[in-house]
Amino acid sequence: MKKKRYFSRGVLTLIAFTFAILFLLPTVLTITNSFMTQSEITANYGQIFQNAASDAKSFISKTINLKFIPDKVSFSQYFTVLLKSPDYLLKFWNSVILVVPIVLAQLMVASIAAYGFTRWRGRVRDGIFFAYVILMLMPYQVTLVPNYLVSDWLGILNTRWAIILPGAFAPFSVFLLTKFMRRIPKSLIESAKLDGAGEWQIFWYICLPQCRSALYSIAILVFIDYWNMVEQPLILLPNADMQPLSVYLSKINAGEIGVAFAVAVIYMIPGLLLFLHGEAYLVEGIAYSGSVKG
C-alpha cells in the first residue's frame, strides 16, 4: 500500500514537473534569444516571420531552429532599446503611469467598499454585493462599449482617465477583499468599540493590518492584469503616443523581432519582481478569501 502511494506521488510529481518545463520554455526562449544578434535570430527564425509578413501563402520548406543558447552573447538589442530608440522607454513609462494609479485606486476603493460590506448588513447591501459579483463574472470585452460611450459623454475619451477611472472601480478587488475581511473575528472589533474606537480607527488600525496578505494579492493580480492590457488602450486611447508598451509590442514588425525579444524581457521584469516579493502573501490571500463564506 505504501509503495503504491509513493509510486502515485512520483508519477504526479513527474507530470507536474513536465508541465512546469513546458510552461517555462517560452519565457526561457525569450530571455536567451534576447541576447542573440539580429543575424542569428534571422538565421534561426527568419523563415517564420518572412512568411508571416507576406500575404501570399507559401510552404515553409526549411526547419525552424529553436535555440536556447546563443552562439555569441550580444547586448546590441538592449542597447537599441535603452539608448537608440526612446520610443520603447516612452511606452514603458506610459504603462507605469497607467497601471500604478489603477492599482493604488483599486486598493483604496476596495478597502473602503469591503469594510462597508463587512460592517453593515441588510437586503440593500446584499443586492449591491450581488451586483458586484455579476459584474465580476462579466468579461471586460462586454463592458468595453459602455465604457467607450461613458468616456465620450464625460469628455475623457483619448485621455488616460478613460483607462484609469474604469480600472479604479473594478469589482474583482472589492469581492476578494470583502471575503477576506469577513474572516476578522467580530470579538476583535467589539473589543475595539468598547475601548472607544470609532469606525475610522477600527478600519485603519484593526481591519487593514489584518488584510495585509489580501491587499498584496490584489495588488499583484491587478498589476499583472492591467500591465498586459491591449484592448482597452486600443479602443479608449487612440493616441499612439499615450498607449502602453503592451500595445506597442503587438505592433512590432518582423524586421524588429530581435528588439521585440529584448523589450519583452524588460517588460516582464516589474511583474516578476512584484510576484517574487509578494508570492507568500498572494497564496495566503487567495486561500483565505476562498475559504470564507459571505
Side-chain angles (χ1 to χ4, degrees):
M1 190 71 179
K2 189 176 291 186
K3 289 183 178 179
K4 191 175 182 180
R5 187 167 59 232
Y6 285 144
F7 177 77
S8 61
R9 286 182 180 177
V11 172
L12 291 175
T13 302
L14 181 61
I15 294 173
F17 180 77
T18 303
F19 276 103
I21 294 296
L22 291 175
F23 282 122
L24 285 174
L25 279 180
T27 303
V28 175
L29 189 68
T30 301
I31 295 173
T32 56
N33 282 218
S34 67
F35 293 102
M36 291 182 181
T37 60
Q38 183 62 45
S39 59
E40 186 177 357
I41 293 174
T42 303
N44 293 327
Y45 314 110
Q47 194 68 22
I48 293 179
F49 301 110
Q50 287 174 6
N51 282 273
S54 63
D55 295 331
K57 295 181 179 179
S58 59
F59 178 74
I60 301 177
S61 59
K62 296 181 180 179
T63 302
I64 304 304
N65 185 22
L66 292 178
K67 291 187 65 175
F68 289 91
I69 301 177
D71 294 334
K72 180 182 178 182
V73 176
S74 173
F75 294 92
S76 60
Q77 314 293 355
Y78 291 96
F79 182 78
T80 301
V81 172
L82 298 175
L83 298 177
K84 287 186 177 180
S85 300
D87 286 342
Y88 297 107
L89 289 180
L90 176 64
K91 302 296 182 182
F92 179 87
W93 287 111
N94 282 344
S95 298
V96 174
I97 293 172
L98 287 173
V99 175
V100 172
I102 290 176
V103 174
L104 296 178
Q106 271 209 42
L107 291 177
M108 181 180 67
V109 172
S111 301
I112 298 173
Y115 182 75
F117 284 129
T118 302
R119 294 286 289 126
W120 290 280
R121 306 227 169 184
R123 292 183 178 179
V124 176
R125 185 223 59 147
D126 292 338
I128 297 175
F129 190 74
F130 179 75
Y132 263 89
V133 174
I134 296 299
L135 288 173
M136 186 187 67
L137 296 176
M138 296 173 62
Y140 63 84
Q141 290 89 348
V142 175
T143 60
L144 201 54
V145 174
N147 284 339
Y148 179 89
L149 296 175
V150 173
S151 299
D152 189 28
W153 180 69
L154 292 175
I156 60 174
L157 193 64
N158 203 24
T159 67
R160 292 189 176 95
W161 290 109
I163 306 293
I164 295 174
L165 287 181
F169 297 96
F172 170 74
S173 54
V174 176
F175 172 81
L176 189 66
L177 194 58
T178 300
K179 303 295 281 186
F180 193 94
M181 200 172 286
R182 287 179 181 173
R183 67 181 288 269
I184 299 175
K186 292 184 178 179
S187 58
L188 190 63
I189 297 177
E190 295 298 329
S191 299
K193 291 180 70 176
L194 289 176
D195 290 338
E199 294 294 341
W200 175 254
Q201 279 108 356
I202 294 173
F203 168 72
W204 189 258
Y205 295 106
I206 303 295
C207 291
L208 282 188
Q210 295 286 328
C211 298
R212 181 183 301 175
S213 58
L215 292 172
Y216 263 99
S217 62
I218 290 171
I220 294 172
L221 294 174
V222 172
F223 181 88
I224 294 175
D225 184 25
Y226 284 92
W227 189 251
N228 298 316
M229 62 181 172
V230 175
E231 289 89 349
Q232 299 99 312
L234 280 175
I235 302 300
L236 303 174
L237 206 61
N239 187 0
D241 293 335
M242 301 175 66
Q243 289 177 349
L245 188 56
S246 54
V247 176
Y248 198 64
L249 276 173
S250 64
K251 295 180 179 180
I252 291 181
N253 56 45
E256 298 178 309
I257 190 62
V259 175
F261 279 129
V263 176
V265 172
I266 295 173
Y267 194 64
M268 71 174 69
I269 289 176
L272 183 62
L273 292 177
L274 186 62
F275 173 78
L276 293 176
H277 175 69
E279 179 184 2
Y281 293 107
L282 176 65
V283 175
E284 181 184 354
I286 295 177
Y288 278 127
S289 300
S291 63
V292 180
K293 295 183 179 180

